[in-house]
Amino acid sequence: MDFSRRLFLGAAAAAAARSPATAKKEEVYRFRTEEADIEMAVQFHDEYTSRGFWFGERNSDRRYCLSAEGEEGRNCVTAFRGSIAIARYRVRPRSLRHDARMLREYVRTVDYDARLAHRPPFERTIVLENGLGSDLQAFGYEAGPDDRSNPETHGPWYLCRQDLYLDPQPTPFLILYWKHALPSIRLLDLIPGEQTWVVKK
């Protein structure tokens, strides 16, 4: 496989996206800051395949497709093979003075497979609608007509660090370390910010 041509890593923010299929695994985390109570639920869709890269919003009947670069409604992937993870956020302000309308993420590559190119850091906002927002992460490739299954387990990978901010706070409330690979995407470590407390289940 020509990794530089066919492989892509996308992370597209979407408002309360519906899962495309039943998740194989879900993890739920709860946090508290001075400004808000935050719940993060992550669904993992391992070895995911689709004829198109289509998603829908929970709060409406709107459906949209994504490109290999994460652009909505343009140059959409027609046949995806790889893995996806959907992180859903529920943010409840702890006072009327603090009403977060968006999360901000800053993502950078920590390490990566030698067969892949370095990805520059990027920053993106996750709009919250009624306190709800989601972040779609995908790692895979656009399959050709002769591709029948995902590549073997020891395929290419990225390690990424994602800093999450409650806008407009200058410091992250949460730092996440992810491993993106073709068979699965996994959350390797989760570090609360200095003013973030983990809420026990």
Side-chain angles (χ1 to χ4, degrees):
M1 179 184 297
D2 181 353
F3 292 114
S4 61
R5 180 176 64 86
R6 299 185 59 199
L7 203 68
F8 73 92
L9 172 67
R18 277 198 304 267
S19 298
T22 303
K24 294 189 177 181
K25 183 178 179 183
E26 181 176 75
E27 297 174 358
V28 179
Y29 305 91
R30 294 177 179 87
F31 309 95
R32 174 169 291 162
T33 70
E34 291 183 359
E35 293 83 16
D37 292 316
I38 304 155
E39 180 181 278
M40 181 181 75
V42 186
Q43 290 185 350
F44 301 94
H45 300 263
D46 300 347
E47 297 181 357
Y48 177 78
T49 61
S50 68
R51 292 186 179 176
F53 213 40
W54 286 87
F55 299 89
E57 289 186 351
R58 282 187 169 181
N59 299 334
S60 70
D61 291 330
R62 188 175 82 88
R63 297 188 74 232
Y64 57 91
C65 63
L66 296 174
S67 73
E69 290 76 32
E71 295 176 304
E72 186 177 322
R74 297 182 60 213
N75 302 317
C76 293
V77 173
T78 58
F80 175 81
R81 293 191 188 276
S83 293
I84 66 173
I86 300 174
R88 289 196 178 86
Y89 301 96
R90 181 186 301 270
V91 180
R92 297 184 185 96
R94 301 192 68 209
S95 73
L96 295 176
R97 294 183 298 114
H98 301 287
D99 185 15
R101 305 207 179 262
M102 65 183 64
L103 299 177
R104 186 164 45 89
E105 63 172 342
Y106 180 75
V107 179
R108 59 195 137 170
T109 300
V110 175
D111 198 2
Y112 57 98
D113 190 290
R115 293 168 287 182
L116 300 179
H118 174 71
R119 293 176 58 247
F122 68 89
E123 193 167 358
R124 192 188 319 262
T125 57
I126 300 171
V127 177
L128 299 174
E129 296 181 6
N130 298 318
L132 300 175
S134 64
D135 178 38
L136 168 68
Q137 300 193 31
F139 185 85
Y141 61 98
E142 188 163 11
D146 297 329
D147 292 326
R148 297 288 176 239
S149 62
N150 284 336
E152 62 185 41
T153 303
H154 300 291
W157 51 268
Y158 276 107
L159 294 180
C160 307
R161 170 177 165 157
Q162 179 187 34
D163 291 14
L164 283 173
Y165 301 80
L166 272 173
D167 205 58
Q169 296 299 321
T171 58
F173 73 89
L174 194 60
I175 298 170
L176 306 171
Y177 285 90
W178 298 87
K179 181 177 182 180
H180 289 217
L182 292 172
S184 66
I185 294 175
R186 285 296 180 262
L187 182 55
L188 300 182
D189 201 3
L190 185 152
I191 304 171
E194 291 184 2
Q195 300 299 315
T196 303
W197 297 270
V198 176
V199 177
K200 301 296 183 183
K201 297 180 182 179

